[in-house]
């Protein structure tokens, strides 16, 4: 079956530090990969996505590259802000059918001033 | 566009009571989903729908029921509430054509406590 594995949190950083949140996946077929972000008390919202190998998704200073050879989609940001404190979910979706995504368990990020 | 809306935001139920969580979207999306999120855990799919009149079970459907009589609305019914159903419930939708392919749009959630 399909699965997504994320590094466990919480990840605690100081403002302006470099962020990496690891995500690896297993899938039958060729998935699209996503990072969603959940701010406190809110629903999930799309942060970035990539639909094929070697694609790089980017948004709000965050980046992730679809690496088929290592089945990974690690999230990075060069300089985090306090406002980036949230829970980050990695997810994959296979084409066809009902497009049910497979989510990772989420990684909490806490950024201190 | 209001996007995906959910009501109520919070609810406390007694064991054995029933309730309906409302979900509506105004984006004309074909696909709609119900998830639950337990503390420190990811999302678990309860039910989903690929269009009006069509629903199917997800990973954890027991204790829940859904209906989809219109494209816009996808209510989730809890019958005989149990403490194990204490969770945050999220509704989501996704377009079939147009929009950003495969992206899900989430509502703000309903926090349910069963005592």
């Amino acid at each position: 079956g399909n699965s997504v594995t994320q590094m466990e949190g919480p990840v605690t950083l100081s403002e302006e530090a470099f962020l990496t949140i690891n995500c690896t996946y297993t899938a039958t077929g060729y998935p699209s990969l996503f990072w969603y972000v959940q701010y406190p008390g809110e629903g999930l919202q799309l942060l970035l996505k990539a639909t094929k190998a070697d694609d790089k998704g980017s948004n709000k200073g965050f980046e992730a590259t679809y690496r088929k050879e290592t089945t990974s989609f690690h999230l990075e940001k060069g300089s985090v802000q306090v406002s980036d404190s949230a829970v980050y979910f990695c997810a994959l979706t296979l084409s066809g059918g009902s497009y049910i995504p497979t989510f990772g368990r989420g990684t909490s990020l806490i950024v201190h001033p | 566009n209001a996007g995906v809306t959910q009501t109520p935001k919070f609810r406390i139920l007694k064991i054995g009571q029933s309730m309906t969580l409302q979900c509506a979207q105004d984006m004309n999306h074909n696909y709609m989903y119900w998830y639950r999120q337990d503390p420190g855990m990811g999302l678990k799919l309860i039910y989903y729908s690929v269009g009006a009149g069509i629903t199917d079970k997800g990973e954890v459907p027991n204790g829940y029921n859904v209906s989809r009589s219109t494209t816009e609305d996808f209510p989730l019914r809890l019958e005989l509430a149990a403490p194990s159903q204490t969770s945050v419930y999220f509704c989501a939708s996704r377009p079939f054509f147009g929009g950003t392919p495969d992206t899900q749009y989430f509502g703000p959630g309903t926090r349910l406590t069963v005592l």
Side-chain angles (χ1 to χ4, degrees), chain A residues 71-108:
Chain A
T71 62
S72 64
F73 193 53
H74 304 322
L75 182 67
E76 297 182 335
K77 187 175 186 182
S79 176
V80 293
Q81 306 300 311
V82 172
S83 57
D84 293 327
S85 298
V87 181
Y88 293 82
F89 291 89
C90 186
L92 68 83
T93 303
L94 289 167
S95 298
S98 56
Y99 295 88
I100 298 175
T102 299
F103 286 91
R105 292 180 62 168
T107 301
S108 175

Side-chain angles (χ1 to χ4, degrees), chain B residues 12-53:
Chain B
I12 298 175
L13 283 181
K14 294 182 179 178
I15 294 172
Q17 288 186 317
S18 301
M19 76 164 293
T20 299
L21 281 66
Q22 301 292 344
C23 173
Q25 52 90 10
D26 61 358
M27 298 174 282
N28 202 32
H29 288 173
N30 293 82
Y31 295 94
M32 296 188 74
Y33 309 81
W34 272 107
Y35 295 92
R36 59 178 287 172
Q37 183 181 34
D38 298 325
M41 304 294 287
L43 299 174
K44 293 186 178 179
L45 182 66
I46 305 171
Y47 271 96
Y48 66 97
S49 169
V50 301

Side-chain angles (χ1 to χ4, degrees), chain A residues 32 34 36 38 41-46 49 51 87 89 93-101 103-106, chain B residues 31 33 35 37 40-43 45 48 50 57 88 90 94 96 100-109 111:
Chain A
S32 295
F34 303 81
Y36 287 85
Q38 184 181 30
E42 299 183 9
L44 281 71
Q45 56 185 276
L46 179 70
K49 73 179 185 79
T51 57
V87 181
F89 291 89
T93 303
L94 289 167
S95 298
S98 56
Y99 295 88
I100 298 175
F103 286 91
R105 292 180 62 168
Chain B
Y31 295 94
Y33 309 81
Y35 295 92
Q37 183 181 34
M41 304 294 287
L43 299 174
L45 182 66
Y48 66 97
V50 301
K57 296 177 181 178
V88 181
F90 289 101
R94 193 191 73 80
F96 181 70
T100 305
D102 295 347
T103 298
Q104 289 197 315
Y105 297 80
F106 284 82
R111 186 175 297 273

